[in-house]
Amino acid sequence: MRLQLLKMLEKLGVDRMLAPYETQPWYHYDAEKAMTCSAEVRMGPGAQDLEAEVQLLADETPDQTAARPEQIMRLRVIPALDKTWSPVELWVKGEDFVNKFHGWEEKACNFFRACIQSLQMGEIPDMDALIEKELDDDDGFGGKGRGKIGRKAPKIKPAQLLGVKKPM
């Protein structure tokens, strides 16, 4: 996926051009869950890269130690020679998702927008449900019915491979 910078920003939910070092943030704090979710798109120095990130941060733990933020997603986009921009990195919950399934670039943008949509509605996104829905590897290209990322492989019975039938 290669898009002009403004179109790439729109894919990530930003409706304006970002200057170097500028960010577009979204966040929501849920007092019941004692958790904050933040998302942001930021332009790097010199406008040479663009990053989109989603994080969760729980309040302090009962022993009063500060909780560490959990990075849910990080997408890095860089310019190409033809003045278009293209995603080159995608990490979701610490796992590299680049080329893991067809259309990963588009689906990464959809996932990010789904997260910010939840934040704008005043909700902490259900990350597992959004990962299941938006980062689906069932694209219909030769793998129809293969399922979602992370599902277990089917169990294969060796006798079936050899064509051995059970006696009746």
Side-chain angles (χ1 to χ4, degrees), residues 121-154:
M121 293 181 353
E123 302 170 354
I124 300 285
D126 181 343
M127 295 303 174
D128 292 331
L130 288 179
I131 289 169
E132 185 82 6
K133 179 182 177 197
E134 301 296 342
L135 298 178
D136 176 358
D137 72 343
D138 186 14
D139 57 17
F141 291 103
K144 196 165 187 154
R146 280 190 348 221
K148 311 282 185 198
I149 293 172
R151 289 228 176 129
K152 292 182 179 179

Side-chain angles (χ1 to χ4, degrees), residues 58-93:
D59 283 353
E60 291 182 351
T61 58
D63 63 358
Q64 299 303 314
T65 59
R68 291 181 53 216
E70 177 187 3
Q71 187 177 59
I72 302 299
M73 176 221 181
R74 187 174 70 84
L75 176 69
R76 184 166 180 255
V77 181
I78 61 170
L81 295 175
D82 61 357
K83 306 249 186 213
T84 60
W85 289 63
S86 182
V88 293
E89 292 178 24
L90 174 61
W91 293 88
V92 178
K93 290 191 168 186

Side-chain angles (χ1 to χ4, degrees), residues 16-162:
R16 62 189 170 82
M17 187 64 74
L18 294 179
Y21 296 105
E22 189 176 9
T23 66
Q24 171 66 56
W26 297 268
Y27 68 92
H28 175 70
Y29 175 72
D30 187 321
E32 269 184 35
K33 295 179 181 176
M35 183 170 290
T36 300
C37 181
S38 67
E40 73 176 27
V41 174
R42 60 183 169 267
M43 179 64 73
Q48 291 303 308
D49 71 332
L50 183 68
E51 288 187 341
E53 182 179 65
V54 178
Q55 292 187 73
L56 288 174
L57 178 64
D59 283 353
E60 291 182 351
T61 58
D63 63 358
Q64 299 303 314
T65 59
R68 291 181 53 216
E70 177 187 3
Q71 187 177 59
I72 302 299
M73 176 221 181
R74 187 174 70 84
L75 176 69
R76 184 166 180 255
V77 181
I78 61 170
L81 295 175
D82 61 357
K83 306 249 186 213
T84 60
W85 289 63
S86 182
V88 293
E89 292 178 24
L90 174 61
W91 293 88
V92 178
K93 290 191 168 186
E95 184 180 342
D96 185 357
F97 271 51
V98 172
N99 294 324
K100 195 148 192 167
F101 47 86
H102 179 74
W104 67 270
E105 303 101 325
E106 181 83 25
K107 291 177 181 188
C109 294
N110 293 345
F111 174 77
F112 185 80
R113 278 195 329 273
C115 288
I116 62 174
Q117 183 178 17
S118 291
L119 295 175
Q120 290 173 327
M121 293 181 353
E123 302 170 354
I124 300 285
D126 181 343
M127 295 303 174
D128 292 331
L130 288 179
I131 289 169
E132 185 82 6
K133 179 182 177 197
E134 301 296 342
L135 298 178
D136 176 358
D137 72 343
D138 186 14
D139 57 17
F141 291 103
K144 196 165 187 154
R146 280 190 348 221
K148 311 282 185 198
I149 293 172
R151 289 228 176 129
K152 292 182 179 179
K155 295 194 179 192
I156 297 172
K157 297 174 184 156
Q160 289 176 328
L161 290 176
L162 299 173

